[in-house]
Amino acid sequence: MTRMLIIGPPGSGKGTQAERVSEGLGIAAISTGDIFRAHVKGGTPLGTEARKYMDAGDFVPDSVTNEMVRSRLSQDDVETGFLLDGYPRTAAQVGYLDGILAAREVTLDVVLQLTADDEELVKRLLGRARDTGRSDDNEAVIRHRLDLYHQQTEPVVAAYARRTILTRVDGIGGIDEVTARVMDAIPNPSRVSAASDR
Ligand code: AMP
């Protein structure tokens, strides 16, 4: 059983790697960005609220995000482990997650940070904008999301580094190559099948 976080700047491939790890380890991958996008698509009140922030590349307020994560982490499938992708993104969210985990008397096994330099990320995200039409993938919004990552999320990474559960993984390279690095960085992973370790 593994409980872990994957943190990385926008465009670092964390969503793709999170899916592969969750498949390889048989644990739930929980992406706050995906949950928000599902709400936007479904036209729910939460989606309408979240969209205002997402389109501008801003963080959705903690009052919305934290409650959503608490509720997702209370579902049965996370009892056998989980991988949180895209949360926590701020120091305040770290404190909130600490509270959720402490109440359940569980701890994180590892926090992975995917690294890549900003210009490479902008290039990748502009490519993704052309391919998928994601509404938060234009250059001004992309640069704003990167700035927020540096200002707000790097302190999150530093906090986990102080707890000595942080491992940095180079996110530059082919998808399979990065997956291999990610899997190597997870301590004692109990994999569901070797075939999943692409
Ligand atoms: P992502 O797919 O992880 O890049 O997230 C897409 C967008 O969803 C972000 O730019 C934010 O607007 C919002 N979002 C995702 N996770 C969080 C979070 N932990 N806190 C606040 N906003 C978030």
Side-chain angles (χ1 to χ4, degrees):
M1 137 127 60
T2 304
R3 295 186 193 90
M4 60 181 286
L5 311 181
I6 188 159
I7 302 180
S12 60
K14 66 187 164 52
T16 304
Q17 297 302 334
E19 275 170 30
R20 288 176 162 216
V21 170
S22 86
E23 200 184 303
L25 302 185
I27 57 177
I30 301 171
S31 155
T32 43
D34 281 353
I35 301 175
F36 284 133
R37 279 184 289 277
H39 277 280
V40 169
K41 207 167 159 203
T44 69
L46 193 153
T48 307
E49 174 70 9
R51 182 168 195 161
K52 297 187 269 184
Y53 300 94
M54 294 170 80
D55 282 352
D58 286 324
F59 290 157
V60 177
D62 282 359
S63 53
V64 176
T65 309
N66 286 340
E67 242 351 279
M68 188 177 86
V69 171
R70 176 190 291 281
S71 140
R72 181 63 188 85
L73 286 177
S74 65
Q75 290 175 21
D76 291 348
D77 63 337
V78 302
E79 273 166 29
T80 51
F82 61 82
L83 187 175
L84 268 175
D85 157 13
Y87 183 95
R89 264 171 151 98
T90 65
Q93 292 181 4
V94 173
Y96 193 83
L97 178 62
D98 283 344
I100 297 176
L101 299 179
R104 293 197 181 139
E105 300 183 340
V106 299
T107 53
L108 294 171
D109 301 300
V110 64
V111 175
L112 292 187
Q113 182 194 22
L114 275 185
T115 60
D117 76 60
D118 282 8
E119 291 318 307
E120 169 71 21
L121 294 167
V122 171
K123 213 167 71 195
R124 284 191 193 178
L125 287 166
L126 288 174
R128 185 168 84 185
R130 279 189 298 272
D131 296 345
T132 68
R134 237 178 87 157
S135 54
D136 54 354
D137 278 348
N138 66 66
E139 184 157 358
V141 173
I142 287 167
R143 293 212 178 263
H144 178 56
R145 286 162 64 211
L146 278 170
D147 285 346
L148 270 186
Y149 179 79
H150 292 306
Q151 288 162 18
Q152 306 271 340
T153 308
E154 275 172 1
V156 169
V157 173
Y160 289 118
R162 285 193 294 275
R163 298 182 192 181
T164 68
I165 53 170
L166 182 83
T167 303
R168 290 193 172 86
V169 175
D170 179 3
I172 300 291
I175 293 179
D176 289 345
E177 204 181 336
V178 176
T179 302
R181 287 181 208 139
V182 166
M183 294 303 283
D184 280 350
I186 299 169
N188 309 312
S190 47
R191 302 173 190 206
V192 287
S193 82
S196 304
D197 300 341
R198 286 165 295 196

